[in-house]
Amino acid sequence: MQVTLSEFVCALRDDPRFMENVTEWRVLPAREAKYAPFPQELDARIVQVLKARGIERLYTHQRQALDCAIAGRDFVVVTPTASGKTLCYNLPVLNAILKDDAARALYLFPTKALSSDQVAELYSMVEALGADIKAFTYDGDTPASARTAIRQAGHVVVTNPDMLHQGILPHHTKWVRLFENLKYVVIDEIHAYRGVFGSNLANVLRRLERICAFYGAHPTFICCSATIHNPKELAENMTARSMTMIDDNGASAGRRHVIFYNPPVINRQLGIRAGSLPTTRDIAARLVRAGVQSIVFARSRLAVEVLVRYAKDIVRDPLGNAGRVRGYRGGYLPTLRREIERELRAGNVDLVVSTNALELGIDIGQLDACVMCGYPGTIASTWQQAGRAGRRSNESLMILVASSNPLDQYIIGHPDYFFGQSPERAFINPDNLYILLNHLKCAAYELPFQEGEKFGNVEETDELLHYLADQNILRLVSGRWYWMAEEFPQAGVNLRSASDQNFLIIDITNPKKHRVIGEMDRFTVPMLLHKYAIYMHEGRQYQVEELDFDDKKAYIREVDVGYYTDADLTTSLKVLDEFESEPLGLLSRHRGEVLVSSIVTLFKKIRFDTHENLGWGPVTLPELEMQTTACWWTLPAGMEAKYGKDDMKTAMVALAYLMRHIAPMYLMCASTDISVVYHVKDPFSDQPTVYLYDHIPGGVGLSDRVYEMNMELFVEARRMLAACPCENGCPSCVGAESVGGKKTLIAILDELIGDSHADA
């Protein structure tokens, strides 16, 4: 039976079993639109097309953006999802091309899906204008036959950072028309460029600016972002330019219900709550049965596939069809993702279960509700995901289902923190030496460096060029640095991670017709594609028959079993270099470079529905290594003797668990950006030690910021332990592996914090 969203919301309010687990129900009121007239400089043909679409005026932020672009000022637009940011760059670009046919624009989007989605919007405007404006997508899927025409005639080239890095900049002599006449560079969804990806893109833009200057062009940069804490700072770090920030949102918004739901405690002695996965399944089932078109976000690929299977079982018809429920995640082939996006826009899907792959602004039509299985990790991501529902200014519903981890429990128990806190900062470090040197090589390959020339705003450019010359990569001749190595440097630089090419996933169920159904990055493969793993794809189960690590292929066969698998990752760490250290009360704190080794040793079989453990199996795969930066604290040597070896180990597990979930609140980063490990007896100091490291090759400065803190993380850990009502530890405070270690950890923290408790 289909009901309206208002009726569904009323039914939830009237359900005492649902309401007893709601910790907060906040209604955000509808927002009226704020308008501004079209500027006189806007071509009359564009105004005519907009009015034909029912747009009689611009939103205030759209008018501000247009004024900045026409004046040639670089700017960043920061407004929520579905606030009309696309017009902030399409209008000035089309206006410039209509006034000067030679004008060119370059659009950068973080994903191919977003590129194709936005170029479709641009096409429709160009067709309505009836003007000879050529807009093309140029990426890995562009046919070779079309590439020459795009280079010569494309007014607007829509691409992604990877293609700009490998396919356009190294071949700039074929793109003379674009670079000579480049008027605008548009970078959409800049909040997606953080960590390694953002640091790489900043260097790609340094290379782009060098090539533009070589051809005599000085384009205006237009950046767009969802709500983050530091959009202006991020855009300026990315482009090395001064930016005007436009954040006065003029778009309207419908009323939004925001519900925080904490699954009930099912074992009071151990403090164990019902799982977030089965709770999300029950809420999603309720939405599907009510006919409320919804999106469910889960934090891992495995969780997505488990939820898809559950939801498909609910809607399956007598013939076994369950197409009204779809999954969406990284690893699906592009053709499958485009098909799902089309089905969503057409309204043919009642429920889509996704990782954060659908968090970006791809148009997926009109959804009414958003359910999150676990806190997404950041306030910014939470609002981005919530914005996927109610995109047409209609009433919408967001339900956040908390997991047992401390960050989820903190957010769910402190709603005022969530609603009152600014969104997180996005960190990049363009001057990370690994990243910078790679792009300096690429830049030298593209254009020789003049002696004394700086690479963007890098002061040590000359020193780095001399280093590359010592490595026989460059050669100084008559005041210019020339590339002299044989290889193509761009091929060895992956913008998004430190991993090399992806693994292909091949379905061998039909012996006569093997088919590729997905792909996966190298660092995820050991967890999900080891031999005998159950790989799930759109709710179907496949068993991994063989994983060929050398050939980067996984061979899978369809099966029907009542369980899924999850692997255990073992991590070890060793210090490569210590940059700095100093005493901190009874502790000593250190900062330096570390080598992190990780290996998957075994996998567990977990039954559907009950989620009980059915057994385990070994995994034999090579170890993966990563160099990064870390901060670590050494505890006093006598603690193990004082508290006992077993109690000390349990307390250290609990401390590492707490820090991993507390640090992102202080760093304003995603919880996946850092990792924490402990050594009860560290091999380098013979003392108990806790390490916090950037989960990004080379590091982006997160651990450096932690080093600068006083005792905040230890004090906050003590507060969280005190706030939890359990007696001696539960999954919500110390984690499932260290239940029973609460009292020891409190005693240790009290000893470490001492008089600094009041100061922190």
Side-chain angles (χ1 to χ4, degrees), residues 578-594:
E578 186 177 294
F579 303 150
E580 183 177 3
S581 68
E582 62 177 283
L584 185 66
L586 295 176
L587 295 162
S588 61
R589 61 179 165 187
H590 312 256
R591 184 175 71 84
E593 187 177 35
V594 297

Side-chain angles (χ1 to χ4, degrees), residues 175-308:
W175 293 86
V176 174
R177 217 170 246 190
L178 172 71
F179 290 119
E180 279 184 341
N181 301 287
L182 193 59
K183 188 167 178 63
Y184 292 111
V185 175
V186 174
I187 310 172
D188 199 8
E189 306 281 1
I190 64 161
H191 60 280
Y193 300 110
R194 64 185 195 192
V196 172
F197 195 16
S199 304
N200 272 307
L201 178 61
N203 281 287
V204 171
L205 295 179
R206 285 168 170 167
R207 289 159 50 196
L208 172 65
E209 289 234 57
R210 275 191 85 223
I211 288 170
C212 286
F214 177 75
Y215 289 105
H218 301 282
T220 299
F221 278 81
I222 299 174
C223 299
C224 295
S225 175
T227 307
I228 55 173
H229 182 71
N230 61 332
K232 187 173 186 287
E233 178 193 2
L234 177 64
E236 290 179 342
N237 287 346
M238 193 85 69
T239 62
R241 293 188 177 198
S242 178
M243 287 272 167
T244 300
M245 186 161 79
I246 299 169
D247 59 354
D248 179 22
N249 178 26
S252 61
R255 189 165 68 147
R256 176 175 289 157
H257 298 267
V258 179
I259 300 173
F260 284 7
Y261 188 92
N262 207 10
V265 175
I266 55 175
N267 185 324
R268 297 216 169 268
Q269 284 81 9
L270 298 177
I272 296 172
R273 292 184 178 275
S276 56
L277 206 63
T279 304
T280 303
R281 170 196 65 195
D282 296 341
I283 292 172
R286 198 164 175 168
L287 286 161
V288 167
R289 291 187 181 112
V292 176
Q293 200 177 16
S294 314
I295 183 167
V296 172
F297 283 102
R299 295 186 60 183
S300 69
R301 295 176 179 189
L302 181 59
V304 165
E305 292 297 347
V306 171
L307 285 168
V308 167

